Amino acid sequence: MGRRERKKAATRKALADAALRLFIEHGYDAVTLHDVAEAADVSTTTLLKYFPSKEALVFDEEADQEAALVSAVRDRTPGTTIPQALRAHVKRVRIRPADPDAHSETGTGTGYGDFFDLVVGTPALSDYGHRMWMRRQDALARAIAEDTGAPSDDLRSAALARFALEASAFARAAADAEQALDAAFDLLENGWSATGSRA
Protein backbone atom coordinates (compact mmCIF):
# COMPACT_ATOMS: atom_id res chain seq x y z
CA MET A 1 0.00 0.00 0.00
CA GLY A 2 1.42 3.35 -1.07
CA ARG A 3 1.63 6.50 1.01
CA ARG A 4 -1.52 7.99 -0.52
CA GLU A 5 -3.55 4.83 0.13
CA ARG A 6 -2.26 4.64 3.71
CA LYS A 7 -3.30 8.24 4.29
CA LYS A 8 -6.79 7.59 2.89
CA ALA A 9 -7.16 4.47 5.01
CA ALA A 10 -6.07 6.39 8.11
CA THR A 11 -8.59 9.16 7.40
CA ARG A 12 -11.37 6.65 6.87
CA LYS A 13 -10.53 4.91 10.14
CA ALA A 14 -10.32 8.21 12.03
CA LEU A 15 -13.78 9.16 10.77
CA ALA A 16 -15.32 5.81 11.67
CA ASP A 17 -13.67 5.83 15.11
CA ALA A 18 -14.81 9.38 15.83
CA ALA A 19 -18.35 8.67 14.67
CA LEU A 20 -18.77 5.54 16.75
CA ARG A 21 -17.32 7.20 19.83
CA LEU A 22 -19.64 10.20 19.48
CA PHE A 23 -22.69 8.04 18.72
CA ILE A 24 -22.10 5.92 21.81
CA GLU A 25 -21.38 8.90 24.07
CA HIS A 26 -24.18 11.22 22.88
CA GLY A 27 -26.66 9.04 21.01
CA TYR A 28 -26.86 8.55 17.27
CA ASP A 29 -29.61 11.10 16.65
CA ALA A 30 -27.86 13.84 18.62
CA VAL A 31 -24.66 13.72 16.54
CA THR A 32 -24.42 15.42 13.14
CA LEU A 33 -22.08 14.72 10.24
CA HIS A 34 -20.48 18.08 11.00
CA ASP A 35 -19.78 16.90 14.58
CA VAL A 36 -18.04 13.79 13.26
CA ALA A 37 -16.02 15.72 10.69
CA GLU A 38 -14.92 18.22 13.32
CA ALA A 39 -13.89 15.47 15.74
CA ALA A 40 -11.77 13.87 13.00
CA ASP A 41 -10.40 17.28 11.92
CA VAL A 42 -11.71 17.13 8.34
CA SER A 43 -14.42 18.96 6.43
CA THR A 44 -17.92 17.58 6.03
CA THR A 45 -17.27 17.43 2.29
CA THR A 46 -14.27 15.19 2.93
CA LEU A 47 -16.32 12.98 5.23
CA LEU A 48 -18.95 12.50 2.50
CA LYS A 49 -16.24 11.38 0.06
CA TYR A 50 -15.52 8.45 2.37
CA PHE A 51 -19.00 7.72 3.70
CA PRO A 52 -22.17 8.34 1.65
CA SER A 53 -24.45 8.46 4.68
CA LYS A 54 -24.48 8.81 8.43
CA GLU A 55 -25.43 5.13 8.83
CA ALA A 56 -22.46 4.03 6.73
CA LEU A 57 -20.11 5.48 9.37
CA VAL A 58 -21.18 2.71 11.74
CA PHE A 59 -20.76 -0.17 9.30
CA ASP A 60 -17.34 0.26 7.77
CA GLU A 61 -16.24 -3.22 6.66
CA GLU A 62 -18.93 -4.53 4.35
CA ALA A 63 -16.52 -6.11 1.85
CA ASP A 64 -14.55 -7.81 4.63
CA GLN A 65 -17.73 -9.13 6.22
CA GLU A 66 -18.95 -10.54 2.91
CA ALA A 67 -15.61 -12.25 2.35
CA ALA A 68 -15.76 -13.78 5.83
CA LEU A 69 -19.28 -15.06 5.22
CA VAL A 70 -18.28 -16.70 1.93
CA SER A 71 -15.17 -18.10 3.60
CA ALA A 72 -17.36 -19.74 6.26
CA VAL A 73 -18.76 -21.91 3.46
CA ARG A 74 -15.65 -22.44 1.36
CA ASP A 75 -13.13 -22.96 4.17
CA ARG A 76 -15.23 -24.97 6.62
CA THR A 77 -13.62 -27.99 8.24
CA PRO A 78 -14.21 -31.40 6.64
CA GLY A 79 -17.38 -33.05 7.92
CA THR A 80 -19.05 -29.72 8.70
CA THR A 81 -22.22 -29.09 6.72
CA ILE A 82 -22.91 -25.71 5.14
CA PRO A 83 -25.75 -24.94 7.62
CA GLN A 84 -23.49 -25.88 10.53
CA ALA A 85 -20.73 -23.60 9.25
CA LEU A 86 -23.16 -20.73 8.70
CA ARG A 87 -24.73 -21.22 12.12
CA ALA A 88 -21.31 -20.94 13.79
CA HIS A 89 -20.37 -17.89 11.72
CA VAL A 90 -23.65 -16.03 12.27
CA LYS A 91 -23.52 -16.81 15.98
CA ARG A 92 -19.95 -15.51 16.20
CA VAL A 93 -20.40 -12.27 14.25
CA ARG A 94 -24.08 -11.39 14.78
CA ILE A 95 -25.09 -12.85 18.15
CA ARG A 96 -22.01 -13.09 20.34
CA PRO A 97 -18.30 -12.72 19.58
CA ALA A 98 -15.99 -15.52 20.71
CA ASP A 99 -14.16 -12.97 22.85
CA PRO A 100 -16.54 -10.77 24.92
CA ASP A 101 -14.13 -7.86 24.45
CA ALA A 102 -13.84 -8.46 20.70
CA HIS A 103 -14.17 -5.52 18.37
CA SER A 104 -17.42 -4.82 16.65
CA GLU A 105 -18.27 -5.40 13.01
CA THR A 106 -16.92 -1.94 12.26
CA GLY A 107 -13.35 -2.76 13.14
CA THR A 108 -13.06 0.56 14.94
CA GLY A 109 -11.98 -0.84 18.29
CA THR A 110 -15.23 -0.34 20.17
CA GLY A 111 -16.41 -3.33 22.18
CA TYR A 112 -19.08 -5.49 20.57
CA GLY A 113 -21.48 -4.85 23.45
CA ASP A 114 -21.39 -1.08 22.94
CA PHE A 115 -21.73 -1.48 19.18
CA PHE A 116 -24.59 -3.97 19.54
CA ASP A 117 -26.46 -1.73 22.00
CA LEU A 118 -26.06 1.26 19.69
CA VAL A 119 -27.40 -0.62 16.66
CA VAL A 120 -30.26 -2.37 18.47
CA GLY A 121 -31.28 0.85 20.22
CA THR A 122 -31.31 2.94 17.04
CA PRO A 123 -34.00 1.99 14.49
CA ALA A 124 -32.20 3.71 11.61
CA LEU A 125 -29.07 1.68 12.30
CA SER A 126 -30.96 -1.58 12.83
CA ASP A 127 -32.69 -1.17 9.48
CA TYR A 128 -29.52 -0.13 7.68
CA GLY A 129 -27.50 -2.95 9.24
CA HIS A 130 -30.10 -5.52 8.23
CA ARG A 131 -30.22 -4.23 4.64
CA MET A 132 -26.43 -4.30 4.47
CA TRP A 133 -26.32 -7.85 5.87
CA MET A 134 -28.94 -9.06 3.38
CA ARG A 135 -26.99 -7.58 0.44
CA ARG A 136 -24.58 -10.47 0.94
CA GLN A 137 -27.25 -12.96 -0.10
CA ASP A 138 -26.18 -13.28 -3.76
CA ALA A 139 -22.50 -13.79 -2.94
CA LEU A 140 -23.38 -16.38 -0.31
CA ALA A 141 -25.77 -18.18 -2.67
CA ARG A 142 -23.05 -18.36 -5.34
CA ALA A 143 -20.58 -19.78 -2.81
CA ILE A 144 -23.09 -22.43 -1.71
CA ALA A 145 -23.91 -23.36 -5.32
CA GLU A 146 -20.24 -23.57 -6.24
CA ASP A 147 -19.45 -25.71 -3.20
CA THR A 148 -22.26 -28.16 -3.96
CA GLY A 149 -21.67 -28.28 -7.72
CA ALA A 150 -25.05 -26.69 -8.45
CA PRO A 151 -25.68 -24.10 -11.18
CA SER A 152 -24.93 -20.52 -10.15
CA ASP A 153 -28.67 -19.69 -10.24
CA ASP A 154 -29.67 -22.69 -8.10
CA LEU A 155 -32.84 -21.86 -6.17
CA ARG A 156 -32.04 -24.15 -3.24
CA SER A 157 -28.69 -22.41 -2.73
CA ALA A 158 -30.40 -19.01 -2.94
CA ALA A 159 -33.05 -20.09 -0.44
CA LEU A 160 -30.48 -21.40 2.04
CA ALA A 161 -28.48 -18.16 1.75
CA ARG A 162 -31.60 -16.06 2.29
CA PHE A 163 -32.87 -18.01 5.29
CA ALA A 164 -29.42 -18.29 6.90
CA LEU A 165 -28.98 -14.51 6.74
CA GLU A 166 -32.53 -13.76 7.89
CA ALA A 167 -32.01 -16.06 10.89
CA SER A 168 -29.87 -13.42 12.61
CA ALA A 169 -32.68 -10.85 12.56
CA PHE A 170 -35.10 -13.48 13.85
CA ALA A 171 -32.68 -14.38 16.64
CA ARG A 172 -31.88 -10.80 17.65
CA ALA A 173 -35.60 -10.12 18.15
CA ALA A 174 -35.97 -13.07 20.54
CA ALA A 175 -35.55 -13.07 24.32
CA ASP A 176 -32.80 -15.70 23.97
CA ALA A 177 -31.00 -14.90 20.72
CA GLU A 178 -28.72 -17.93 20.78
CA GLN A 179 -31.59 -20.35 21.39
CA ALA A 180 -33.61 -18.73 18.61
CA LEU A 181 -30.69 -18.96 16.19
CA ASP A 182 -30.23 -22.63 17.03
CA ALA A 183 -33.94 -23.28 16.42
CA ALA A 184 -33.75 -21.58 13.02
CA PHE A 185 -30.66 -23.47 11.95
CA ASP A 186 -31.97 -26.78 13.27
CA LEU A 187 -34.88 -26.28 10.90
CA LEU A 188 -32.55 -25.36 8.02
CA GLU A 189 -30.35 -28.38 8.72
CA ASN A 190 -33.00 -31.01 9.36
CA GLY A 191 -36.24 -29.76 7.81
CA TRP A 192 -39.69 -29.47 9.29
CA SER A 193 -40.41 -33.21 9.25
CA ALA A 194 -37.51 -33.84 11.63
CA THR A 195 -39.14 -31.68 14.32
CA GLY A 196 -41.71 -34.36 15.06
CA SER A 197 -44.62 -32.04 14.28
CA ARG A 198 -47.90 -33.71 13.33
CA ALA A 199 -48.56 -31.19 10.58
Side-chain angles (χ1 to χ4, degrees):
M1 184 184 289
R3 183 170 179 267
R4 182 185 172 117
E5 289 74 22
R6 285 197 306 273
K7 186 174 180 181
K8 287 173 75 173
T11 300
R12 185 177 183 88
K13 185 176 186 317
L15 286 163
D17 284 351
L20 198 53
R21 186 183 70 253
L22 290 171
F23 293 156
I24 288 170
E25 288 175 0
H26 304 288
Y28 177 79
D29 293 328
V31 176
T32 66
L33 290 176
H34 176 74
D35 294 333
V36 175
E38 193 170 85
D41 198 24
V42 301
S43 69
T44 304
T45 302
T46 298
L47 182 154
L48 289 170
K49 288 179 183 175
Y50 287 89
F51 296 95
S53 69
K54 188 175 170 183
E55 294 90 346
L57 283 158
V58 179
F59 300 94
D60 186 32
E61 294 190 342
E62 183 169 3
D64 291 343
Q65 291 299 319
E66 182 173 295
L69 189 59
V70 169
S71 177
V73 172
R74 291 183 177 156
D75 303 328
R76 67 190 191 280
T77 56
T80 302
T81 66
I82 291 173
Q84 287 170 345
L86 289 173
R87 179 198 309 236
H89 180 76
V90 171
K91 194 175 285 190
R92 185 172 61 254
V93 303
R94 300 285 286 178
I95 304 302
R96 59 167 172 79
D99 174 358
D101 296 320
H103 294 173
S104 71
E105 290 180 334
T106 65
T108 59
T110 298
Y112 185 86
D114 290 336
F115 171 80
F116 183 84
D117 290 345
L118 174 68
V119 172
V120 170
T122 310
L125 292 179
S126 294
D127 292 345
Y128 182 91
H130 182 66
R131 289 194 308 272
M132 187 187 77
W133 177 247
M134 294 307 298
R135 282 200 298 263
R136 299 164 184 158
Q137 179 182 328
D138 290 345
L140 179 57
R142 286 192 299 272
I144 294 169
E146 180 183 312
D147 187 87
T148 60
S152 60
D153 61 351
D154 178 55
L155 292 177
R156 287 168 47 93
S157 299
L160 177 56
R162 173 66 180 237
F163 298 143
L165 294 176
E166 284 284 8
S168 71
F170 165 73
R172 282 179 158 185
D176 185 330
E178 196 162 342
Q179 184 179 30
L181 190 75
D182 284 337
F185 273 96
D186 285 347
L187 190 60
L188 287 176
E189 179 82 34
N190 304 310
W192 181 257
S193 60
T195 66
S197 173
R198 292 178 296 166

